[in-house]
Amino acid sequence: MAVDSQLSSLISPAGADAVMNTYRRFPVTFTHGQGCWLWDRHGERYMDCVAGIAVCSLGHSDPVLQQALSKQLGRLQHVSNLYFTPEQGELATWITANSPMDAVFFCNSGAEANEAAIKLARKYGRCKRGIEQARIITARASFHGRTMASLSATGQPKYHQGFTPLVEGFHYVDYNDFPAIQQCIDRLDAQGPAVAAVLLEPLQGEGGVQPGDPGVFAALRQLCDQRGILLILDEVQVGMGRTGQLWGHQHLGIEPDAMTMAKGLGGGFPIGALAVKRHCDVLQPGDHASTFGGNPLACRAGLTVAAELKRRHLLTNVQQRGEQLGRGLEELVVEFPRLCAAVRGWGLIQGLVLREGGPGAAQVVQACLQHKLLVVPAGNQVVRLVPPLTISGAEVDTALMRLRTALGGLGA
Ligand SMILES: *Cc1c(COP(=O)(O)O)cnc(C)c1O
């Protein structure tokens, strides 16, 4: 204990011991950032291909976001949802104008957005299908958050361990397996309607950067329409331009009935949202709430990210830089065939799939850190790269060069 805290005081800032130990943190303390770069407290510079886990869409210390938030701080910060604010109305209008959705509920995180979606699904099932105990189908290897219902929706036993009993009513199927979903629905609906919704990520992020199959989602869309089941998409990680389209479902050629978003929406300021089509807008006053949800500061952040996506043509940048990054990663697979197996992803969410039996994702991430490149695991076998959407061609090359050096050090 004494040795441990001595060691941690060498690598961590004062106060680290006072923070609960829920994360296995890297021994680095970042003090400032600029664009795709972060500096630690010793002045060392790191190339950031994590972006706060797909959050800092405009990079670090973006001057436009900084100015917009400073101005908002001086005007209005928080009034609660007992009243309207122009910022919330404007951001809701932007989301509905730029998606197939008709109305928005604001909250503060991805997990909260999914909580809202789960409550919506249950109430929808009750109102529209007369379901008393609503069932929701989700995928194995999914990730929907850490609150009790979003954790229960998450199809990964390792996250459930130690936290049972889970919230009831979730049923897991393999991702991209349409016959499995159909069988699951048939089984649950055998004695009358029971399934309220299917909740899926358009691309599984945390679960290994696994893109959805357009054929599967098209068939699922049709089945949900036939049965009156909601298709809800968790766009928390891939929404807001991360994939080169504004929303992940655009890669799948379908529209969800409802969708959740968070990570990239505020560019680093916490905000989450559930957006719904009119026909499933079943929540009434008193059904759901959030004190902070959609406050003027958070909505100003969202509005600024939205405006900058357009003004700086960031979707085009994501497409071009994504292609460059994907191509570079493919070259690394060819160069390091004993370490790397494949590359998966859309736009600026790319996964380098590692070979079984070799160094795992945690080891590669550690090696990259040594070479001042920040990347993040997605499961045990995939290294995930989710840089700011503003990354330049030269910066993509720098990231690839550092990754190459790190892989080289692990032995070709
Ligand atoms: C990160 C993530 C969440 C949880 O978001 P929090 O803001 O951490 O609660 C939910 N779903 C997906 C797909 C995510 O990537």
Side-chain angles (χ1 to χ4, degrees), residues 239-255:
M240 283 307 279
R242 169 64 48 196
T243 65
Q245 302 286 340
L246 196 52
W247 310 111
H249 66 256
Q250 292 174 269
H251 292 266
L252 301 172
I254 54 125
E255 292 181 3

Side-chain angles (χ1 to χ4, degrees), residues 109-111 114 143-145 201 206 234 236-237 263:
S109 68
N114 286 328
F143 186 83
H144 299 294
E201 294 156 88
E206 223 63 35
D234 179 343
V236 167
Q237 186 155 170
K263 287 192 166 84

Side-chain angles (χ1 to χ4, degrees), residues 47 77 80 112 120 143 189 205 233 247 249-250 336 348 394:
M47 154 113 275
Q77 299 168 16
S80 89
E112 273 181 80
L120 176 93
F143 186 83
D189 274 2
L233 293 184
W247 310 111
H249 66 256
Q250 292 174 269
F336 299 101
L348 284 177

Side-chain angles (χ1 to χ4, degrees), residues 23 53-54 108-114 142-147 150 154 201-206 234-238 260 262-263 271 384:
Y23 283 90
I53 318 191
N108 314 286
S109 68
E112 273 181 80
N114 286 328
S142 60
F143 186 83
H144 299 294
R146 305 295 203 127
T147 57
S150 66
T154 295
E201 294 156 88
L203 169 153
Q204 289 192 322
E206 223 63 35
D234 179 343
E235 295 259 10
V236 167
Q237 186 155 170
V238 297
T260 55
K263 287 192 166 84
I271 181 169
R384 176 174 31 160

Side-chain angles (χ1 to χ4, degrees), residues 264-311:
L265 181 56
F269 200 95
I271 181 169
L274 163 68
V276 299
K277 285 196 178 186
R278 198 59 75 195
H279 73 92
C280 57
D281 188 2
V282 291
L283 296 180
Q284 287 161 354
D287 277 344
H288 198 49
S290 165
T291 298
F292 292 123
N295 87 8
L297 261 182
C299 288
R300 177 58 60 203
L303 281 165
T304 308
V305 170
E308 290 304 289
L309 283 181
K310 183 165 182 213
R311 190 179 70 85

